[in-house]
Amino acid sequence: MTDPQPRSSLPEGLRPTTLAIRGGQERTGFMETAEPLFLTQGYVYPRAADAEATFLAQLDRFSYTRYANPTTSAFEERLRLIEGAEACFATATGMAAVFASMACLVRQGSRIVAGRAMFGSTLLVLDELFKGWGIETVYVDAHDNDQWAAALATPADVVFFETPTNPMQDIVDIVTVSELAHRAGALVVVDNVFATPVLQKPLALGADVVVYSTTKHIDGQGRVLGGAVLGPREYVLGPLQTFLRNTGPTMSPFNAWVLLKSLETMDLRVRRQSENSLEIARWLEAQPGVVDVRYPYLPSHPQHELAVAQQEAGGTVVSFTLDGPTDPDGGKARAFAFLDALRLIDISNNLGDVKSLVTHPATTTHMKSGFEGRQRVGIGESTIRLSVGLEDPADLVDDLARGLAAPF
Ligand SMILES: *Cc1c(COP(=O)(O)O)cnc(C)c1O
């Protein structure tokens, strides 16, 4: 009997669910089953001439973990395959990804057009840091294509938005906004955190770049921070890589190793959490103590059809507003009574975890927006953001019922 041929590289055309488990793995000589963790800062050279050749970019090898690391590269490659992007660079946090994705493109006099409803730290980057550097940001209500058309009648360098938005889940029409942006000369960057790599593919809809906080659903189990930027080779391996390698917010190999394993279960987690979310959103809609439920896959969502066209499921976050006072003090008292009566769902400003988490945006994530700022993006004073986990939805419903029954 002859020896069987050793297995070579993976077959072509594997689907994202398979790539999430198999993609990006290069086994070492030990032929380990799982992905190895290379917790090393540097790499050694057998000869001085090899170090020189590496610095001359004549030799393609690892030289320093701020530049690249085998474990981090494996994570980048796996996420790249799932996303269907040409290239990926992993970062220390989601904010490092958001900041670098734009900072590597803009300079004094640049113009950014962005959705108004956005992650708090992203708003601070645009309104305080970039503004101070002479970079202008024009905001639009991101679900309104007419406002995008008006803002993009003037040339722009970057278009940036989240869809669905946090926490009110407005949906941005990625196809239309990308067309408008490209006519204005802008690169389109989408913060795809809420939709996740599983449910929405912005690059296939016309966007140029996707950014993630891998802290959210990609980890999904509340352990490590991280981020990623994905897009065309000439952008990621060009200005973005130069910016990240030399300013330093690269991902730790340990975090990359945790996240690499997380990607194996991401599809299962996100789809089940979305099913749980839809069930809970439907239940909330039927409760007298709840005046408004925002979930993209509820037919009552004002952009339900667009959400169904653009996303494979509704996502893992349900936002709802409690009946009762709408002023800041009254709304806060109502919301706090609800939150403090919960015994299972944790109060936390994070999201995307397998543990269900709940937050009151008006006093946490959107406190800095002020009452008027919140009104403008539709956040009520008693609005609750629920990140739905993997618990039995019947137990989550029982807990939410406890919250609704709380006296205030
Ligand atoms: C959490 C989050 C970020 C920032 O990510 P970090 O990992 O916390 O830095 C950016 N955008 C959105 C939509 C987020 O939810």
Side-chain angles (χ1 to χ4, degrees):
M1 214 177 103
T2 52
D3 282 341
Q5 286 298 307
R7 292 178 55 162
S8 58
S9 56
L10 292 172
E12 292 292 309
L14 294 175
R15 292 146 185 93
T17 315
T18 306
L19 293 169
I21 292 158
R22 296 291 189 162
Q25 181 170 13
E26 282 185 46
R27 293 200 164 100
T28 72
F30 293 118
M31 297 306 285
E32 63 283 349
T33 310
E35 294 73 6
L37 167 54
F38 289 95
L39 203 55
T40 182
Q41 297 168 342
Y43 309 84
V44 299
Y45 306 91
R47 285 176 299 268
D50 288 343
E52 182 190 34
T54 303
F55 276 69
L56 284 168
Q58 291 165 351
L59 201 58
D60 184 19
R61 49 157 288 163
F62 292 102
S63 61
Y64 189 50
T65 283
R66 170 150 52 75
Y67 270 52
N69 169 284
T71 306
T72 309
S73 296
F75 168 70
E76 290 167 337
E77 177 62 4
R78 185 167 290 180
L79 186 60
R80 182 192 77 76
L81 289 165
I82 296 168
E83 193 70 37
E86 284 181 11
C88 173
F89 202 111
T91 56
T93 65
M95 278 318 300
V98 166
F99 176 65
S101 72
M102 293 187 275
C104 74
L105 292 172
V106 294
R107 57 200 65 236
Q108 188 176 11
S110 291
R111 182 169 182 270
I112 299 173
V113 180
R116 192 183 313 283
M118 221 144 42
F119 190 69
S121 294
T122 307
L123 285 174
L124 186 133
V125 166
L126 296 171
D127 290 343
E128 295 186 25
L129 301 183
F130 282 1
K131 194 173 177 187
W133 299 344
I135 297 153
E136 179 198 17
T137 302
V138 174
Y139 290 104
V140 299
D141 294 329
H143 57 279
D144 183 344
N145 287 348
D146 293 342
Q147 290 191 30
W148 284 108
L152 291 168
T154 308
D157 300 284
V158 178
V159 159
F160 189 96
F161 59 86
E162 300 170 13
T163 182
T165 62
N166 176 23
M168 297 316 287
Q169 321 239 29
D170 293 329
I171 308 293
V172 183
D173 181 343
I174 301 175
V175 171
T176 304
V177 174
S178 297
E179 278 170 18
L180 291 165
H182 292 150
R183 263 183 259 149
L187 197 86
V188 179
V189 183
V190 179
D191 180 335
N192 204 36
V193 161
F194 265 56
T196 80
V198 177
L199 303 181
Q200 178 170 272
K201 297 270 189 278
L203 301 180
L205 297 170
D208 302 296
V209 175
V210 172
V211 296
Y212 288 108
S213 163
T214 67
T215 312
K216 310 295 164 57
H217 307 80
I218 293 177
D219 178 301
Q221 293 164 76
R223 302 166 303 192
V224 300
L225 297 176
V229 186
L230 299 112
R233 213 169 278 116
E234 66 268 24
Y235 162 83
V236 174
L237 304 181
L240 181 80
Q241 179 172 278
T242 302
F243 183 91
L244 286 168
R245 283 184 163 179
N246 296 290
T247 57
T250 37
M251 178 179 276
S252 137
F254 178 76
N255 289 6
W257 179 76
V258 172
L259 294 165
L260 194 52
K261 306 309 290 172
S262 298
L263 285 177
E264 298 179 346
T265 56
M266 175 176 67
D267 189 273
L268 271 179
R269 285 186 279 107
V270 168
R271 288 186 199 278
R272 174 66 82 87
Q273 285 173 248
S274 290
E275 283 170 25
N276 291 356
S277 299
L278 181 58
E279 190 173 330
I280 285 164
R282 286 194 181 124
W283 180 82
L284 282 166
E285 233 179 5
Q287 304 311 306
V290 177
V291 287
D292 181 31
V293 182
R294 278 299 198 104
Y295 186 68
Y297 262 48
L298 279 182
S300 61
H301 189 287
Q303 296 165 286
H304 176 63
E305 276 176 33
L306 178 60
V308 170
Q310 220 166 247
Q311 301 176 207
E312 280 190 40
T316 70
V317 176
V318 181
S319 298
F320 55 98
T321 301
L322 300 167
D323 199 6
T326 54
D327 63 293
D329 288 345
K332 173 178 161 177
R334 175 74 196 96
F336 278 23
F338 172 87
L339 293 178
D340 290 339
L342 300 174
R343 287 168 55 199
L344 175 64
I345 304 169
D346 292 308
I347 302 170
S348 173
N349 45 286
N350 203 4
L351 61 92
D353 201 299
V354 295
K355 295 184 173 72
S356 293
L357 306 174
V358 74
T359 191
H360 178 230
T363 52
T364 59
T365 56
H366 291 74
M367 181 172 62
K368 285 204 192 112
S369 309
F371 179 66
E372 268 150 36
R374 288 192 290 275
Q375 297 272 93
R376 215 159 167 183
V377 291
I379 304 173
E381 297 305 295
S382 62
T383 295
I384 303 288
R385 186 189 77 189
L386 173 65
S387 169
V388 179
L390 277 184
E391 302 94 337
D392 189 316
D395 287 330
L396 296 174
V397 159
D398 288 347
D399 207 35
L400 294 169
R402 268 190 283 274
L404 291 175
F408 62 96

